[in-house]
Amino acid sequence: MPPDLSPTARALRAMELLQARPGVTAGELAACLGVTERAARRYVGILREAGIPVESARGPYGGYRLGRGTRLPPVAFTEPEALGLVMAVLNGQPAAADADDLVGAALGKVIRALPENVGRQAAALREYASAAPDRFSARPDPATTSALVAAIADRRRVVVAYRSESGNQWEAEVDPWAVVVRHGRWYLLCHSHRADAVRTYRVDRVLQVQRSTHTFEPPDDLDPVAALEENLGTGWEFATRVVFDAPLAEVAPWIRPPMGRLEPSGDGCVLVGSTSNPTMYAQEWLPNVPFPFRVEGGPELRAALASLASRLAAALGPAHRRVTPGPGS
């Protein structure tokens, strides 16, 4: 904390810490306030004198916490906190620069509630900072996201209605393990009872969420981000199999998790997975891998790649097409 803060400001900061970190010790409180433990206890005393019930407990699991039912004043932001919040919002949702945007309207309310000196800087940052939209990001419906998060917290099974990128729709009963945000997209990591396997669904493609009476227990060692990365390329409509004429170690840095699982194969490696969009797989993902490859399956991916090759060959024109020498040439 800045060393020139007044005792009142430090006392208010102490109250914020007690609210955010119930059970905080005198040593931790002192470190956050930049004072000695004795001074930290003095600020706790100031809060008590002001009528704010601060409870304390001794022992290894003791510490300070606010009493139940304590009514706190409105949240106050420091200037760095306010600016950091505006930057995070604009980074995640460029459209929030517009006051008519849903998140933009909420951000405007936060800025208007700030003290004048802090709010002025936050408003200027919002007005004069520009953010380019991410064409790959997808914003899910807040109500749908909230329903999924609530089911995760309560460990309740749900039935989701889903529409894939290719337009197919289905329902699946799933155990919702986690919601993971990855590169601007929101995913539901879950166990599908329909497939009896781990599945990853884009939350923006979930049409409906219905809670079930059944409960579930997530895996004890669940790492949501790692599990999502591992399963992004599995469980979709169209199987894929691509063989690379290069060692796995050289190819691996070019393979995105949604493309599938890369395995060694002889002197090269093979990419096995599935996709709901063979055209995107053929046009956007495979051409970026700078190694010779051949597509062994499935038929949808082979057809998409053949269509791309034909289109690119036509773009060169007859004069640039390669002529294969015949016998005796």
Side-chain angles (χ1 to χ4, degrees), residues 25 57-63:
T25 65
R58 296 183 179 276
Y61 302 103

Side-chain angles (χ1 to χ4, degrees), residues 74-153:
V75 176
F77 294 98
T78 65
E79 184 174 313
E81 288 173 340
L83 296 179
L85 178 62
V86 174
M87 291 171 67
V89 172
L90 293 179
N91 181 62
Q93 178 107 347
D98 185 354
D100 294 331
D101 177 75
L102 176 65
V103 177
L107 180 61
K109 292 179 181 179
V110 172
I111 292 176
R112 288 191 294 273
L114 295 172
E116 183 179 357
N117 62 326
V118 177
R120 183 171 58 251
Q121 294 296 323
L125 175 61
R126 180 193 188 187
E127 181 177 356
Y128 294 108
S130 300
D134 182 357
R135 67 188 182 95
F136 295 109
S137 66
R139 308 298 173 194
D141 176 57
T144 300
T145 308
S146 178
L148 290 172
V149 170
I152 293 168

